[in-house]
Structure formats: structure tokens, C-alpha cells
Amino acid sequence: MTQSRRDFLSLTAKAAVLAAGAGLGLPALLHAATPSEFGSTPLPVPGASGLFGLLAPEGRLTLTAAEAPGALPATGAPMLAYRASHKGADYLNPILVLRKGQDFEATLANGLNEPTIIHWHGVDGPWRQAGHPSYAIGPGGSYKYGFPITNRAGTYWYHPHPHALTAKQSYMGLASFFIVRDSEEDAFAKDLDLRLGVTDIPLVIQDKRLTHDGRLDYSPSKDDLLMGYLGDTVLANGQHKPTLKAATRLYRFRLLNGSTARIYNLSFVQGGSRLPLLLVGNDGGFLPAPQRLDGLFLAPGERADVLLDLRDLSPGQEVFLQNMPFDPMHNEGGMMGMTGMGHGAAPAASAEGHGGSHGALGEGDAYAILRLLVEQQVAYDRSLPKSLPSIPEPPAGGTERPITLALQHMGGWTINGLTFDMGSAPIVVKKRGVEVWRISNAKESMPHPMHLHGYFYRVLERKGSPAQAKSRAVDTQGRMATDLGYKDTVLVWPGETVSVAIDFGTPRYPGEQLFLFHCHNLEHEDQGMMLNVKVV
Ligand code: C2O
Ligand code: CU
Ligand code: CU
């Protein structure tokens, strides 16, 4: 770096601190983003091999779940990963790139010392292909998947789903993207001159606790199992506070919350203000129309596909992907006779750690996750998309099904008062018509990201939303921009009712199907906040 560049950077830093003091009300935020905390560690971006390498499978692919020594980018510690070899290249947690219509054939080989199974999250397929925990295979075993890709283009993902072990295995590293492309995606990427891994960046955000020697520590206490295991170090593509060198052009980020429990309130911040984002897609591909916003909530399991325009920036300037302060709404305290100490608490109350572990990073704290450093001036002449491939309106009407989320007295989280039982299916739906699920979260509760396998939701309405969600409503039904389009995971805040329409009518898979409906707070899922859904 040249002397003048260094001076320029430190000036920018000072300007940022000054701006923070100038009454923007975000001092902690900018403190969290001082460049000194960001070294020159590069963001791991998907390449042609290695960790998160891009892999477009031809023929049957074997994914071996196993320990990967030295693989964790942040510390060089071991992690768990899906190993694959394809056309002479070796991968860990490959980002699978599929085309709609293609046959996907994969074999999971279990190289762990405990059961596992892969779930293709958001990817359509009959239930035997979807990683139901009853299909978990033991150490040394294998499971063959084979099904046609029928999803529209979108950012899906894959992770383990063995019962009671999903959180730990995902946390230890087993997770990656499953990207589907089609002709609409081709046209979009061409119009905007986007290239996967270069200007179209899959970005998985995960929080971890690390031991003093940098190893991943998954040792939830009883409280952690109840509330979710929060880490104190937030990683982007496995790296802590990385930098992506950028040019003055448009970027696409496929954001995935791959954390077990932590919810993020994400914004891209430059010099004290939030940059506008164009949300173009979420869990199930493109939205019906692009949505301009300056921040979004991303709960475990959810994806957001955003465009960020860096054309107005100059070389030397920095943009930070930040978690913005919010109320994590851990309102379960009263019910449990607890004080709500520390865990995920709002910024003002989160100074102390919990469970005697490392200093906790509250969910509602301000902190930076990733730095974009503008280095290169380029000419970019494409215009932002005004429209997106059209999708049908959410279906009107349908059979109503009330769903309640609550804490059992002195027990765990329940759905309709029940916890998971492998052998029973408390929700039975007919392969006929539409159901409207009214998912109500108790007041004395915490946020639950509710996920359904096999089908997508269309969010119809949010009622009783807390101010931080209500203020982001884009219509009179209280929906946020991130609710539009197809969703497979919806965050339900305490006291809120989210109504979703699910079309069980379109014939999809022959025969009876057994899918799952569960909280994607993976500690909650493992503790039984999950029900079988039988489709008959
Ligand atoms: Cu992403 Cu059933 O999970
Ligand atoms: Cu899923
Ligand atoms: Cu939950």
C-alpha cells in the first residue's frame, strides 16, 4: 500500500468517527467498524476448488461428511466439511451449481462417528430425497439421492438433519450453498454483468465460540439449548472480519444466515449512513419486483439476494456489512423465572457474558461482519433492474390451520403444544388445495424462524408485529420486503401472527409424503420444536 493510500484510509477512518459523533445516533456502530479491526484478511470467495469451490456436478457426486483438518479459514482449526472430488479438483463444502431440469445425483458418505443425513434446504424433491431424520445413516454408511431439479433459479443450501444432532453438525461446519440457475437467471446475470464468485458473492454468516487455540466450541448449556447457542465471533464464509476488494460497480450478495440461532439485522454502511440495497430475491428465487431497502432481518435458514451499487464510491473508500442494533426480543424470561441475563440482550444490557463462557456478543449489538474496500475504478454502465421475472399472486382463500408457538411450563419450545416424535404426524394435509397457516408466537417467547420442507410459503399477512418489523412493512398487510416472493423460512416475533399460504394442491410427488415443519433455531429444532407433516 502506498503512503498516500494509507493516509487516505486513516483520514476516512477519522471522518467516520467524526460523523458518528455528529448525531447520527450510531456511535457504537461506527466504533465497531473502525478499519483497524479489519486487517487485510481476504474474504474467502468461491473459486474453482477448495472450500466453497463452485461445483457444477456431472454424473453422480459423492459428498463425504468428515473432519477437515486445518480447514477453518478464521483460525486454521479443524472443522467438519463435505468433501468432494470432481473432474480432478478437490472441494470442501462445495457450492453446488445446478440447472433447472437437470438430474441431481449425489451419494452421502458418512465419515463421522455418529449418524447424519443431508437435507437440501429449499430444494424441491420427494421426502425420501429431503433428508428426513428417519433416514439418517450411521458411521461408514451411505445414502443415495437422485432427483430432477424442478426449482426456479435461486439460492438454496444444504446441511445435516439427523435428529438431535443437526445443530452441532451444522455448527461444526457442515453446510453450503445449492444454487439453481435457469434461463431467467442467465438473462439477469447477463444484463447486470454478474459472475458467480467474482461479482455475485454467496456469503454465509455464522457465529461461533472459539477455544483459546481457535477451535470451534460447541458446548451448549441448558440455557443455550433453550434460547439458542450464540457465538462471540461472527464469520463470513468462515473468516473473521474479512475484506473484499471491490470495484466501482454493481455487486450481488447471496446472503445466507447459516448460524444455529443468531438473528442478524443487516445493513451495508458507508461513512455513517446505510447504503441503499435492492432486494431481488429471497428463499425461493426472484421477488415479484425489486425492493429498495436499507436493511433487513435475516434469521437462521433465510436467504436474501441483494444488489449493492458501489458506483458512487471512490477508490480507498470502505463499506461495512454491519449488524445494526435491534431488540432481539428474548421475552421468555418471565415464563422461565429467569432474568433474561445477557443472552441476546439489547445493547444496553449485554455487557456481561452468559453461562460463564467468553464475553457474549448480544444479537442486538452493533458490530461489523465484512469490509468492502473499493480499490478499482471501473466503468459500469448497466442500469439496475426495474422488473423481475413474474410470479403468480399468492393464492386467495384456503383451509385455515392455526399454529401456536409457545414454551411449555418448565419445559421446551412447542408447536401446537407438541414436540417432535419420529413416529407421529400431528399435521396431516391433503394433496388438494391451499392451506393458510396462521403461525402465532406467544408474547412471552422469543423469535422463531419457522421452516417447512417440501413446499414454499407465500406470506399473506403479519399481525401484532413489534415496532422494528412494523416499521419495515411495505403494505397494509404488514409484510416486509423480505416476505414477498417465495419463502421457506419465516421469522415470527413474540406476540406476532404470520399468515402464510401453502399450495398443497399442485401435484408434486407421488404417494404419501412425510415432511417437516420446524424452528430453524437449530437448538430449538434439536430439542424437539419440530413436527412431522404428512401429505396424503
Ligand atoms: Cu434447513 Cu429442516 O432445515
Ligand atoms: Cu429445509
Ligand atoms: Cu425457535
Side-chain angles (χ1 to χ4, degrees), residues 209 217-232 338-345 349-361:
R209 286 184 210 172
D217 170 22
Y218 190 73
S219 52
S221 66
K222 258 184 105 186
D223 280 1
D224 292 329
L225 292 178
L226 186 70
M227 293 178 281
Y229 190 69
L230 293 186
D232 47 30
M338 292 182 305
T339 53
M341 53 168 233
H343 196 101
S350 69
E352 291 303 307
H354 61 93
S357 109
H358 317 262
L361 181 67

Side-chain angles (χ1 to χ4, degrees), residues 98-104 123-124 147-151 178 180:
L98 281 298
R99 284 205 74 84
K100 183 177 179 176
Q102 180 184 344
D103 280 322
F104 176 56
V123 180
D124 295 335
F147 57 100
I149 301 298
T150 56
N151 286 80
F178 193 114
V180 175

Side-chain angles (χ1 to χ4, degrees), residues 226-228 405 413-414 441 445-450 491-492 518-525 529:
L226 186 70
M227 293 178 281
L405 313 175
W413 295 105
T414 59
N441 193 356
S445 184
M446 57 175 282
H448 298 288
M450 299 307 296
L491 183 59
V492 190
H518 66 85
C519 182
H520 220 288
N521 177 313
L522 296 181
E523 282 76 32
H524 291 182
E525 174 190 332
M529 197 180 182

